[in-house]
Amino acid sequence: MSSKYIAFVIVLSGTLISCGGGGGGGPEANSTNCSGAGMQSILPTFANEADRQAFIDKCQSLAGK
């Protein structure tokens, strides 16, 4: 097995793991996504209101730290 193939498998695995696997978790709450413009672009991407509200709650908890 060549080292290029091993590197490809490692990169592909990392990419798939970073996707979350659940397919509905939404974006991560961080300072960029919770800023005014970031939040305006992120909120419409949520599939349901519960996920949307959970994201807003996480952003509010980040702001309180």
Side-chain angles (χ1 to χ4, degrees):
M1 204 180 304
S2 74
S3 61
K4 288 181 183 181
Y5 179 77
I6 293 172
F8 173 77
V9 170
I10 291 171
V11 170
L12 181 62
S13 298
T15 303
L16 293 175
I17 289 171
S18 69
C19 289
E28 180 181 343
N30 58 35
S31 60
T32 303
N33 290 340
C34 292
S35 68
M39 191 172 281
Q40 284 181 350
S41 65
I42 295 291
L43 289 179
T45 65
F46 287 100
N48 61 47
E49 188 61 32
D51 290 341
R52 182 182 175 120
Q53 188 59 47
F55 179 79
I56 293 171
D57 292 342
K58 288 178 187 176
C59 286
Q60 289 175 343
S61 70
L62 284 173
K65 286 185 178 180

